[in-house]
Amino acid sequence: MRPLHGAEDNTEANLRSLFSQAYPEFEVLLSIHEPSDPAAPIARRVMAAFPNIPARLVTAGVSPLPNAKVWSLRALLPIARHEHIFMSDSDIFHLPSSLSTVMAELSQPNVALVTCPYRAVGGPRFWSRVEALGLNTDFLAGMLTQRLLNGMDFAIGTTIATRRTELTAIGGLEFLQRYLAEDFVMGNAMHARGRLVTLSRSVIAHHIGNDGFIKNWKHRLRWARSTRRSRRLGYLGEIFTKPVAIATIFCILVPGAWGLLLIALFFRATVAWSTAVEILRDPLIYRYWWLLPLEDLSSFATWVLGFFGNKITWRGRDLNLLPDGSFQI
């Protein structure tokens, strides 16, 4: 199931990757909000190019609630023919082996949900590349640390595989639409039932867009405020993942403490190399590694601002978040 919204540079290639899965039997269900959506002709063109893959394009209508993605998924789930559900965002590119890998992992004992790590692919704009660097050198490391300390009690919404019965057991998509971070809530609710959430071996490519500074900053602030409400202690603990910013502030306050900054830079470089190069195979890090200190300072500023305020801007709407991460309607 894949909700579509608008036509970006990679929309068609991403969609073709979904139809090109090396798996014996599957269907592709796509949704748009309105018939005039620019993604509609792209979807029909790709569907025509893969006549042997059962596929449908559904018009979900405009969502009455802020989380339009879940509204689109709600329009698709009733017409799905299979028990196993593979949900993927429109900005995701999959390798042909992705579906088979994830389905094998979902078949393991007591596994209720499989979520995929991703390699961020930035656009040509400066701040898009900076954000991609941060995601590829920091996000996965934080996620693996969380798994080590507390197990996988969350999911990443870019790609999720589960079963229809598992969704029903936690209240269904109707329950999840109340939240901004519906992916985190989905994984957390299944984990709370004693079911396993697994981080897949399949790494996907996430095209994060090509936004300028203002839109990029609003997006990151929305993410920070959502994360603070989803996992309060985990958000506070992120201070340990920001050694360069902390060491820089310390050096400003304590003259002569530059050795601390050098140590912080060493450990930051080690983490960046192990995640971006060894795991994600990110080509961006080789050309733009020198932007990492800027990304670290930007990430730290966003993290601090995430502690304040409950307002976010999402899809052109100004919204308020409640303490549990749900929307104030």
mmCIF file of all heavy atoms in Angstrom, residues 126-127 130-131 133-134 137-138 213 216-217 220 235 241-252 258 261 264-265 268 289-306:
data_model
loop_
_atom_site.group_PDB
_atom_site.id
_atom_site.type_symbol
_atom_site.label_atom_id
_atom_site.label_comp_id
_atom_site.label_asym_id
_atom_site.label_seq_id
_atom_site.Cartn_x
_atom_site.Cartn_y
_atom_site.Cartn_z
ATOM 1 N N PHE A 126 21.593 22.990 -0.929
ATOM 2 C CA PHE A 126 22.561 22.887 0.158
ATOM 3 C C PHE A 126 21.968 22.239 1.405
ATOM 4 O O PHE A 126 22.531 21.276 1.949
ATOM 5 C CB PHE A 126 23.086 24.292 0.483
ATOM 6 C CG PHE A 126 24.057 24.322 1.629
ATOM 7 C CD1 PHE A 126 25.377 23.976 1.449
ATOM 8 C CD2 PHE A 126 23.628 24.709 2.900
ATOM 9 C CE1 PHE A 126 26.275 24.016 2.502
ATOM 10 C CE2 PHE A 126 24.521 24.746 3.957
ATOM 11 C CZ PHE A 126 25.849 24.396 3.753
ATOM 12 N N TRP A 127 20.823 22.737 1.880
ATOM 13 C CA TRP A 127 20.287 22.253 3.145
ATOM 14 C C TRP A 127 19.715 20.847 3.030
ATOM 15 O O TRP A 127 19.657 20.114 4.016
ATOM 16 C CB TRP A 127 19.241 23.218 3.692
ATOM 17 C CG TRP A 127 19.885 24.430 4.276
ATOM 18 C CD1 TRP A 127 19.929 25.687 3.737
ATOM 19 C CD2 TRP A 127 20.635 24.491 5.505
ATOM 20 N NE1 TRP A 127 20.658 26.530 4.552
ATOM 21 C CE2 TRP A 127 21.100 25.831 5.632
ATOM 22 C CE3 TRP A 127 20.962 23.568 6.487
ATOM 23 C CZ2 TRP A 127 21.862 26.244 6.723
ATOM 24 C CZ3 TRP A 127 21.726 23.979 7.567
ATOM 25 C CH2 TRP A 127 22.164 25.291 7.676
ATOM 26 N N VAL A 130 22.763 18.749 3.583
ATOM 27 C CA VAL A 130 23.154 18.788 4.991
ATOM 28 C C VAL A 130 22.256 17.868 5.813
ATOM 29 O O VAL A 130 22.734 17.107 6.669
ATOM 30 C CB VAL A 130 23.089 20.229 5.531
ATOM 31 C CG1 VAL A 130 23.254 20.250 7.047
ATOM 32 C CG2 VAL A 130 24.168 21.089 4.886
ATOM 33 N N GLU A 131 20.950 17.912 5.559
ATOM 34 C CA GLU A 131 20.030 17.044 6.297
ATOM 35 C C GLU A 131 20.311 15.577 5.999
ATOM 36 O O GLU A 131 20.281 14.728 6.904
ATOM 37 C CB GLU A 131 18.579 17.375 5.956
ATOM 38 C CG GLU A 131 17.586 16.527 6.736
ATOM 39 C CD GLU A 131 16.143 16.802 6.376
ATOM 40 O OE1 GLU A 131 15.887 17.517 5.385
ATOM 41 O OE2 GLU A 131 15.247 16.288 7.089
ATOM 42 N N LEU A 133 23.124 14.217 5.184
ATOM 43 C CA LEU A 133 24.334 13.850 5.917
ATOM 44 C C LEU A 133 24.024 13.529 7.376
ATOM 45 O O LEU A 133 24.517 12.546 7.937
ATOM 46 C CB LEU A 133 25.351 14.991 5.848
ATOM 47 C CG LEU A 133 26.224 15.097 4.605
ATOM 48 C CD1 LEU A 133 27.027 16.382 4.660
ATOM 49 C CD2 LEU A 133 27.150 13.895 4.493
ATOM 50 N N GLY A 134 23.199 14.373 7.991
ATOM 51 C CA GLY A 134 22.844 14.145 9.383
ATOM 52 C C GLY A 134 22.090 12.848 9.584
ATOM 53 O O GLY A 134 22.359 12.088 10.526
ATOM 54 N N THR A 137 24.474 9.784 9.088
ATOM 55 C CA THR A 137 25.584 9.636 10.030
ATOM 56 C C THR A 137 25.137 9.622 11.487
ATOM 57 O O THR A 137 25.952 9.370 12.369
ATOM 58 C CB THR A 137 26.609 10.775 9.860
ATOM 59 O OG1 THR A 137 25.956 12.035 10.097
ATOM 60 C CG2 THR A 137 27.194 10.770 8.459
ATOM 61 N N ASP A 138 23.866 9.896 11.741
ATOM 62 C CA ASP A 138 23.423 10.049 13.126
ATOM 63 C C ASP A 138 22.149 9.262 13.433
ATOM 64 O O ASP A 138 22.043 8.606 14.469
ATOM 65 C CB ASP A 138 23.201 11.526 13.435
ATOM 66 C CG ASP A 138 22.825 11.768 14.890
ATOM 67 O OD1 ASP A 138 23.607 11.368 15.768
ATOM 68 O OD2 ASP A 138 21.758 12.345 15.134
ATOM 69 N N PHE A 213 16.027 26.446 3.124
ATOM 70 C CA PHE A 213 16.311 26.482 4.550
ATOM 71 C C PHE A 213 15.043 26.542 5.406
ATOM 72 O O PHE A 213 14.889 25.767 6.366
ATOM 73 C CB PHE A 213 17.207 27.677 4.882
ATOM 74 C CG PHE A 213 17.391 27.891 6.365
ATOM 75 C CD1 PHE A 213 18.227 27.063 7.087
ATOM 76 C CD2 PHE A 213 16.707 28.904 7.024
ATOM 77 C CE1 PHE A 213 18.390 27.238 8.449
ATOM 78 C CE2 PHE A 213 16.869 29.089 8.386
ATOM 79 C CZ PHE A 213 17.711 28.255 9.100
ATOM 80 N N ASN A 216 12.916 23.337 5.240
ATOM 81 C CA ASN A 216 13.699 22.270 5.839
ATOM 82 C C ASN A 216 13.719 22.400 7.349
ATOM 83 O O ASN A 216 13.556 21.409 8.083
ATOM 84 C CB ASN A 216 15.123 22.320 5.277
ATOM 85 C CG ASN A 216 16.022 21.230 5.824
ATOM 86 O OD1 ASN A 216 16.595 21.359 6.902
ATOM 87 N ND2 ASN A 216 16.172 20.166 5.061
ATOM 88 N N TRP A 217 13.902 23.633 7.844
ATOM 89 C CA TRP A 217 13.952 23.861 9.289
ATOM 90 C C TRP A 217 12.604 23.537 9.942
ATOM 91 O O TRP A 217 12.548 22.926 11.018
ATOM 92 C CB TRP A 217 14.334 25.310 9.563
ATOM 93 C CG TRP A 217 14.343 25.660 11.017
ATOM 94 C CD1 TRP A 217 15.294 25.340 11.936
ATOM 95 C CD2 TRP A 217 13.327 26.361 11.726
ATOM 96 N NE1 TRP A 217 14.945 25.814 13.182
ATOM 97 C CE2 TRP A 217 13.741 26.438 13.072
ATOM 98 C CE3 TRP A 217 12.114 26.932 11.358
ATOM 99 C CZ2 TRP A 217 12.968 27.067 14.050
ATOM 100 C CZ3 TRP A 217 11.347 27.556 12.322
ATOM 101 C CH2 TRP A 217 11.781 27.617 13.648
ATOM 102 N N ARG A 220 12.245 19.793 10.261
ATOM 103 C CA ARG A 220 13.060 19.223 11.322
ATOM 104 C C ARG A 220 12.514 19.580 12.702
ATOM 105 O O ARG A 220 12.568 18.759 13.633
ATOM 106 C CB ARG A 220 14.507 19.689 11.165
ATOM 107 C CG ARG A 220 15.123 19.236 9.861
ATOM 108 C CD ARG A 220 16.534 19.711 9.674
ATOM 109 N NE ARG A 220 17.453 19.028 10.578
ATOM 110 C CZ ARG A 220 18.761 19.001 10.398
ATOM 111 N NH1 ARG A 220 19.302 19.602 9.354
ATOM 112 N NH2 ARG A 220 19.533 18.391 11.248
ATOM 113 N N TYR A 235 14.354 11.256 24.073
ATOM 114 C CA TYR A 235 14.666 12.559 23.491
ATOM 115 C C TYR A 235 15.681 13.299 24.361
ATOM 116 O O TYR A 235 16.619 13.910 23.851
ATOM 117 C CB TYR A 235 13.395 13.386 23.344
ATOM 118 C CG TYR A 235 13.591 14.665 22.565
ATOM 119 C CD1 TYR A 235 13.689 14.640 21.185
ATOM 120 C CD2 TYR A 235 13.689 15.893 23.210
ATOM 121 C CE1 TYR A 235 13.890 15.804 20.459
ATOM 122 C CE2 TYR A 235 13.879 17.070 22.494
ATOM 123 C CZ TYR A 235 13.976 17.020 21.120
ATOM 124 O OH TYR A 235 14.172 18.172 20.412
ATOM 125 N N THR A 241 24.304 12.076 21.997
ATOM 126 C CA THR A 241 24.620 11.856 20.583
ATOM 127 C C THR A 241 25.083 13.143 19.910
ATOM 128 O O THR A 241 25.254 13.173 18.691
ATOM 129 C CB THR A 241 23.395 11.300 19.841
ATOM 130 O OG1 THR A 241 22.380 12.316 19.752
ATOM 131 C CG2 THR A 241 22.833 10.082 20.547
ATOM 132 N N LYS A 242 25.280 14.202 20.679
ATOM 133 C CA LYS A 242 25.657 15.501 20.121
ATOM 134 C C LYS A 242 26.949 16.016 20.751
ATOM 135 O O LYS A 242 27.008 17.120 21.297
ATOM 136 C CB LYS A 242 24.515 16.496 20.328
ATOM 137 C CG LYS A 242 23.185 15.967 19.785
ATOM 138 C CD LYS A 242 22.064 16.955 19.930
ATOM 139 C CE LYS A 242 20.741 16.335 19.502
ATOM 140 N NZ LYS A 242 20.756 15.817 18.109
ATOM 141 N N PRO A 243 28.018 15.225 20.693
ATOM 142 C CA PRO A 243 29.252 15.612 21.393
ATOM 143 C C PRO A 243 29.944 16.836 20.796
ATOM 144 O O PRO A 243 30.581 17.605 21.515
ATOM 145 C CB PRO A 243 30.137 14.362 21.251
ATOM 146 C CG PRO A 243 29.646 13.700 20.001
ATOM 147 C CD PRO A 243 28.168 13.940 19.991
ATOM 148 N N VAL A 244 29.840 17.028 19.480
ATOM 149 C CA VAL A 244 30.544 18.153 18.855
ATOM 150 C C VAL A 244 29.960 19.481 19.314
ATOM 151 O O VAL A 244 30.693 20.413 19.670
ATOM 152 C CB VAL A 244 30.478 18.036 17.319
ATOM 153 C CG1 VAL A 244 31.089 19.285 16.660
ATOM 154 C CG2 VAL A 244 31.222 16.787 16.844
ATOM 155 N N ALA A 245 28.633 19.577 19.348
ATOM 156 C CA ALA A 245 28.002 20.816 19.792
ATOM 157 C C ALA A 245 28.301 21.089 21.264
ATOM 158 O O ALA A 245 28.612 22.230 21.647
ATOM 159 C CB ALA A 245 26.490 20.735 19.564
ATOM 160 N N ILE A 246 28.211 20.041 22.099
ATOM 161 C CA ILE A 246 28.479 20.209 23.527
ATOM 162 C C ILE A 246 29.929 20.631 23.755
ATOM 163 O O ILE A 246 30.223 21.539 24.553
ATOM 164 C CB ILE A 246 28.175 18.899 24.288
ATOM 165 C CG1 ILE A 246 26.692 18.530 24.149
ATOM 166 C CG2 ILE A 246 28.552 19.038 25.755
ATOM 167 C CD1 ILE A 246 25.745 19.533 24.732
ATOM 168 N N ALA A 247 30.856 19.983 23.045
ATOM 169 C CA ALA A 247 32.273 20.314 23.205
ATOM 170 C C ALA A 247 32.574 21.731 22.713
ATOM 171 O O ALA A 247 33.397 22.444 23.305
ATOM 172 C CB ALA A 247 33.129 19.305 22.448
ATOM 173 N N THR A 248 31.903 22.162 21.649
ATOM 174 C CA THR A 248 32.107 23.522 21.131
ATOM 175 C C THR A 248 31.665 24.561 22.158
ATOM 176 O O THR A 248 32.362 25.559 22.409
ATOM 177 C CB THR A 248 31.325 23.715 19.825
ATOM 178 O OG1 THR A 248 31.787 22.765 18.851
ATOM 179 C CG2 THR A 248 31.502 25.121 19.287
ATOM 180 N N ILE A 249 30.499 24.344 22.756
ATOM 181 C CA ILE A 249 30.006 25.258 23.785
ATOM 182 C C ILE A 249 30.963 25.284 24.981
ATOM 183 O O ILE A 249 31.271 26.354 25.534
ATOM 184 C CB ILE A 249 28.589 24.846 24.229
ATOM 185 C CG1 ILE A 249 27.592 25.017 23.071
ATOM 186 C CG2 ILE A 249 28.131 25.655 25.434
ATOM 187 C CD1 ILE A 249 26.224 24.465 23.356
ATOM 188 N N PHE A 250 31.461 24.105 25.354
ATOM 189 C CA PHE A 250 32.379 24.022 26.490
ATOM 190 C C PHE A 250 33.676 24.781 26.201
ATOM 191 O O PHE A 250 34.228 25.467 27.077
ATOM 192 C CB PHE A 250 32.682 22.555 26.797
ATOM 193 C CG PHE A 250 33.424 22.346 28.089
ATOM 194 C CD1 PHE A 250 32.748 22.374 29.300
ATOM 195 C CD2 PHE A 250 34.800 22.139 28.097
ATOM 196 C CE1 PHE A 250 33.431 22.185 30.488
ATOM 197 C CE2 PHE A 250 35.489 21.952 29.279
ATOM 198 C CZ PHE A 250 34.793 21.979 30.481
ATOM 199 N N CYS A 251 34.163 24.688 24.963
ATOM 200 C CA CYS A 251 35.395 25.381 24.587
ATOM 201 C C CYS A 251 35.212 26.897 24.613
ATOM 202 O O CYS A 251 36.140 27.642 24.954
ATOM 203 C CB CYS A 251 35.843 24.936 23.198
ATOM 204 S SG CYS A 251 36.547 23.281 23.153
ATOM 205 N N ILE A 252 34.015 27.361 24.265
ATOM 206 C CA ILE A 252 33.737 28.793 24.310
ATOM 207 C C ILE A 252 33.717 29.287 25.754
ATOM 208 O O ILE A 252 34.231 30.361 26.076
ATOM 209 C CB ILE A 252 32.396 29.095 23.612
ATOM 210 C CG1 ILE A 252 32.511 28.794 22.112
ATOM 211 C CG2 ILE A 252 31.980 30.552 23.825
ATOM 212 C CD1 ILE A 252 31.195 28.911 21.365
ATOM 213 N N TRP A 258 40.391 22.974 23.998
ATOM 214 C CA TRP A 258 40.216 22.507 22.635
ATOM 215 C C TRP A 258 40.490 21.020 22.477
ATOM 216 O O TRP A 258 40.046 20.398 21.508
ATOM 217 C CB TRP A 258 41.132 23.311 21.713
ATOM 218 C CG TRP A 258 40.762 24.758 21.688
ATOM 219 C CD1 TRP A 258 41.401 25.789 22.301
ATOM 220 C CD2 TRP A 258 39.607 25.323 21.059
ATOM 221 N NE1 TRP A 258 40.731 26.976 22.095
ATOM 222 C CE2 TRP A 258 39.630 26.719 21.324
ATOM 223 C CE3 TRP A 258 38.567 24.798 20.304
ATOM 224 C CZ2 TRP A 258 38.651 27.577 20.861
ATOM 225 C CZ3 TRP A 258 37.588 25.658 19.829
ATOM 226 C CH2 TRP A 258 37.635 27.034 20.104
ATOM 227 N N LEU A 261 37.285 19.155 22.256
ATOM 228 C CA LEU A 261 36.638 19.230 20.944
ATOM 229 C C LEU A 261 37.268 18.243 19.966
ATOM 230 O O LEU A 261 36.555 17.604 19.182
ATOM 231 C CB LEU A 261 36.732 20.651 20.396
ATOM 232 C CG LEU A 261 36.104 20.899 19.012
ATOM 233 C CD1 LEU A 261 34.625 20.534 19.013
ATOM 234 C CD2 LEU A 261 36.299 22.346 18.591
ATOM 235 N N ALA A 264 35.879 14.872 20.729
ATOM 236 C CA ALA A 264 34.504 14.778 20.258
ATOM 237 C C ALA A 264 34.455 14.581 18.750
ATOM 238 O O ALA A 264 33.659 13.777 18.232
ATOM 239 C CB ALA A 264 33.730 16.030 20.660
ATOM 240 N N LEU A 265 35.299 15.305 18.025
ATOM 241 C CA LEU A 265 35.348 15.165 16.572
ATOM 242 C C LEU A 265 35.801 13.768 16.164
ATOM 243 O O LEU A 265 35.290 13.198 15.185
ATOM 244 C CB LEU A 265 36.281 16.213 15.984
ATOM 245 C CG LEU A 265 35.759 17.658 15.991
ATOM 246 C CD1 LEU A 265 36.878 18.627 15.613
ATOM 247 C CD2 LEU A 265 34.573 17.810 15.043
ATOM 248 N N ARG A 268 32.870 11.424 16.768
ATOM 249 C CA ARG A 268 31.831 11.718 15.775
ATOM 250 C C ARG A 268 32.209 11.149 14.414
ATOM 251 O O ARG A 268 31.362 10.581 13.706
ATOM 252 C CB ARG A 268 31.629 13.235 15.679
ATOM 253 C CG ARG A 268 30.554 13.644 14.676
ATOM 254 C CD ARG A 268 29.177 13.260 15.175
ATOM 255 N NE ARG A 268 28.148 13.713 14.265
ATOM 256 C CZ ARG A 268 27.547 12.937 13.369
ATOM 257 N NH1 ARG A 268 27.892 11.667 13.263
ATOM 258 N NH2 ARG A 268 26.588 13.419 12.583
ATOM 259 N N TRP A 289 31.788 15.455 3.599
ATOM 260 C CA TRP A 289 32.076 15.161 4.993
ATOM 261 C C TRP A 289 32.380 16.432 5.790
ATOM 262 O O TRP A 289 32.122 16.512 6.988
ATOM 263 C CB TRP A 289 33.267 14.192 5.093
ATOM 264 C CG TRP A 289 34.518 14.725 4.445
ATOM 265 C CD1 TRP A 289 34.937 14.524 3.166
ATOM 266 C CD2 TRP A 289 35.509 15.559 5.062
ATOM 267 N NE1 TRP A 289 36.131 15.180 2.931
ATOM 268 C CE2 TRP A 289 36.500 15.828 4.071
ATOM 269 C CE3 TRP A 289 35.649 16.121 6.336
ATOM 270 C CZ2 TRP A 289 37.612 16.622 4.343
ATOM 271 C CZ3 TRP A 289 36.757 16.907 6.597
ATOM 272 C CH2 TRP A 289 37.719 17.148 5.615
ATOM 273 N N TRP A 290 32.924 17.437 5.119
ATOM 274 C CA TRP A 290 33.312 18.677 5.804
ATOM 275 C C TRP A 290 32.107 19.488 6.282
ATOM 276 O O TRP A 290 32.253 20.441 7.059
ATOM 277 C CB TRP A 290 34.178 19.514 4.873
ATOM 278 C CG TRP A 290 33.585 19.711 3.501
ATOM 279 C CD1 TRP A 290 33.681 18.871 2.422
ATOM 280 C CD2 TRP A 290 32.774 20.810 3.083
ATOM 281 N NE1 TRP A 290 32.984 19.372 1.350
ATOM 282 C CE2 TRP A 290 32.428 20.569 1.723
ATOM 283 C CE3 TRP A 290 32.319 21.966 3.708
ATOM 284 C CZ2 TRP A 290 31.630 21.445 0.996
ATOM 285 C CZ3 TRP A 290 31.538 22.851 2.981
ATOM 286 C CH2 TRP A 290 31.194 22.588 1.652
ATOM 287 N N LEU A 291 30.894 19.121 5.835
ATOM 288 C CA LEU A 291 29.687 19.799 6.287
ATOM 289 C C LEU A 291 29.140 19.218 7.600
ATOM 290 O O LEU A 291 28.202 19.767 8.177
ATOM 291 C CB LEU A 291 28.590 19.711 5.218
ATOM 292 C CG LEU A 291 28.777 20.571 3.970
ATOM 293 C CD1 LEU A 291 27.680 20.273 2.960
ATOM 294 C CD2 LEU A 291 28.776 22.044 4.335
ATOM 295 N N LEU A 292 29.716 18.122 8.073
ATOM 296 C CA LEU A 292 29.192 17.475 9.279
ATOM 297 C C LEU A 292 29.183 18.370 10.513
ATOM 298 O O LEU A 292 28.202 18.367 11.269
ATOM 299 C CB LEU A 292 29.979 16.191 9.571
ATOM 300 C CG LEU A 292 29.549 14.959 8.771
ATOM 301 C CD1 LEU A 292 30.464 13.782 9.069
ATOM 302 C CD2 LEU A 292 28.098 14.592 9.070
ATOM 303 N N PRO A 293 30.235 19.171 10.787
ATOM 304 C CA PRO A 293 30.156 20.066 11.956
ATOM 305 C C PRO A 293 28.984 21.036 11.870
ATOM 306 O O PRO A 293 28.320 21.313 12.881
ATOM 307 C CB PRO A 293 31.503 20.792 11.934
ATOM 308 C CG PRO A 293 32.426 19.853 11.237
ATOM 309 C CD PRO A 293 31.591 19.187 10.183
ATOM 310 N N LEU A 294 28.705 21.551 10.664
ATOM 311 C CA LEU A 294 27.560 22.440 10.488
ATOM 312 C C LEU A 294 26.260 21.694 10.765
ATOM 313 O O LEU A 294 25.363 22.216 11.433
ATOM 314 C CB LEU A 294 27.548 23.014 9.071
ATOM 315 C CG LEU A 294 26.321 23.867 8.704
ATOM 316 C CD1 LEU A 294 26.248 25.106 9.584
ATOM 317 C CD2 LEU A 294 26.361 24.255 7.233
ATOM 318 N N GLU A 295 26.163 20.468 10.279
ATOM 319 C CA GLU A 295 24.964 19.664 10.528
ATOM 320 C C GLU A 295 24.808 19.384 12.016
ATOM 321 O O GLU A 295 23.703 19.441 12.557
ATOM 322 C CB GLU A 295 25.046 18.356 9.747
ATOM 323 C CG GLU A 295 24.180 17.225 10.262
ATOM 324 C CD GLU A 295 22.697 17.551 10.336
ATOM 325 O OE1 GLU A 295 22.221 18.439 9.603
ATOM 326 O OE2 GLU A 295 22.010 16.913 11.153
ATOM 327 N N ASP A 296 25.908 19.108 12.708
ATOM 328 C CA ASP A 296 25.828 18.823 14.138
ATOM 329 C C ASP A 296 25.324 20.034 14.920
ATOM 330 O O ASP A 296 24.512 19.900 15.842
ATOM 331 C CB ASP A 296 27.196 18.392 14.664
ATOM 332 C CG ASP A 296 27.566 16.983 14.240
ATOM 333 O OD1 ASP A 296 26.693 16.304 13.671
ATOM 334 O OD2 ASP A 296 28.712 16.574 14.457
ATOM 335 N N LEU A 297 25.799 21.224 14.572
ATOM 336 C CA LEU A 297 25.347 22.439 15.259
ATOM 337 C C LEU A 297 23.883 22.722 14.929
ATOM 338 O O LEU A 297 23.105 23.119 15.794
ATOM 339 C CB LEU A 297 26.236 23.616 14.869
ATOM 340 C CG LEU A 297 27.701 23.529 15.321
ATOM 341 C CD1 LEU A 297 28.490 24.715 14.790
ATOM 342 C CD2 LEU A 297 27.792 23.474 16.848
ATOM 343 N N SER A 298 23.500 22.514 13.677
ATOM 344 C CA SER A 298 22.110 22.711 13.275
ATOM 345 C C SER A 298 21.189 21.723 13.981
ATOM 346 O O SER A 298 20.109 22.084 14.462
ATOM 347 C CB SER A 298 21.988 22.559 11.760
ATOM 348 O OG SER A 298 20.644 22.618 11.340
ATOM 349 N N SER A 299 21.628 20.471 14.069
ATOM 350 C CA SER A 299 20.839 19.437 14.750
ATOM 351 C C SER A 299 20.683 19.758 16.231
ATOM 352 O O SER A 299 19.614 19.559 16.821
ATOM 353 C CB SER A 299 21.519 18.074 14.566
ATOM 354 O OG SER A 299 20.857 17.077 15.312
ATOM 355 N N PHE A 300 21.756 20.262 16.845
ATOM 356 C CA PHE A 300 21.697 20.609 18.265
ATOM 357 C C PHE A 300 20.714 21.755 18.504
ATOM 358 O O PHE A 300 19.921 21.728 19.453
ATOM 359 C CB PHE A 300 23.088 21.000 18.760
ATOM 360 C CG PHE A 300 23.124 21.406 20.207
ATOM 361 C CD1 PHE A 300 23.070 20.452 21.208
ATOM 362 C CD2 PHE A 300 23.204 22.744 20.565
ATOM 363 C CE1 PHE A 300 23.106 20.822 22.549
ATOM 364 C CE2 PHE A 300 23.231 23.119 21.890
ATOM 365 C CZ PHE A 300 23.178 22.163 22.890
ATOM 366 N N ALA A 301 20.737 22.771 17.629
ATOM 367 C CA ALA A 301 19.817 23.900 17.773
ATOM 368 C C ALA A 301 18.370 23.440 17.634
ATOM 369 O O ALA A 301 17.493 23.859 18.405
ATOM 370 C CB ALA A 301 20.141 24.965 16.728
ATOM 371 N N THR A 302 18.102 22.571 16.679
ATOM 372 C CA THR A 302 16.745 22.046 16.501
ATOM 373 C C THR A 302 16.326 21.219 17.707
ATOM 374 O O THR A 302 15.173 21.290 18.147
ATOM 375 C CB THR A 302 16.670 21.193 15.228
ATOM 376 O OG1 THR A 302 17.167 21.945 14.118
ATOM 377 C CG2 THR A 302 15.245 20.772 14.940
ATOM 378 N N TRP A 303 17.256 20.431 18.239
ATOM 379 C CA TRP A 303 16.957 19.602 19.414
ATOM 380 C C TRP A 303 16.574 20.476 20.601
ATOM 381 O O TRP A 303 15.610 20.190 21.315
ATOM 382 C CB TRP A 303 18.172 18.739 19.731
ATOM 383 C CG TRP A 303 18.046 17.916 20.976
ATOM 384 C CD1 TRP A 303 17.294 16.787 21.137
ATOM 385 C CD2 TRP A 303 18.687 18.157 22.232
ATOM 386 N NE1 TRP A 303 17.425 16.304 22.421
ATOM 387 C CE2 TRP A 303 18.275 17.125 23.118
ATOM 388 C CE3 TRP A 303 19.566 19.134 22.683
ATOM 389 C CZ2 TRP A 303 18.725 17.053 24.425
ATOM 390 C CZ3 TRP A 303 20.016 19.060 23.990
ATOM 391 C CH2 TRP A 303 19.594 18.039 24.847
ATOM 392 N N VAL A 304 17.304 21.556 20.830
ATOM 393 C CA VAL A 304 16.993 22.465 21.932
ATOM 394 C C VAL A 304 15.618 23.103 21.727
ATOM 395 O O VAL A 304 14.788 23.146 22.644
ATOM 396 C CB VAL A 304 18.076 23.547 22.070
ATOM 397 C CG1 VAL A 304 17.638 24.611 23.087
ATOM 398 C CG2 VAL A 304 19.396 22.926 22.503
ATOM 399 N N LEU A 305 15.348 23.567 20.522
ATOM 400 C CA LEU A 305 14.057 24.205 20.239
ATOM 401 C C LEU A 305 12.907 23.209 20.361
ATOM 402 O O LEU A 305 11.773 23.609 20.638
ATOM 403 C CB LEU A 305 14.074 24.811 18.834
ATOM 404 C CG LEU A 305 14.980 26.035 18.651
ATOM 405 C CD1 LEU A 305 15.042 26.426 17.187
ATOM 406 C CD2 LEU A 305 14.472 27.198 19.496
ATOM 407 N N GLY A 306 13.201 21.933 20.158
ATOM 408 C CA GLY A 306 12.163 20.915 20.274
ATOM 409 C C GLY A 306 11.579 20.796 21.673
ATOM 410 O O GLY A 306 10.469 20.286 21.852
#
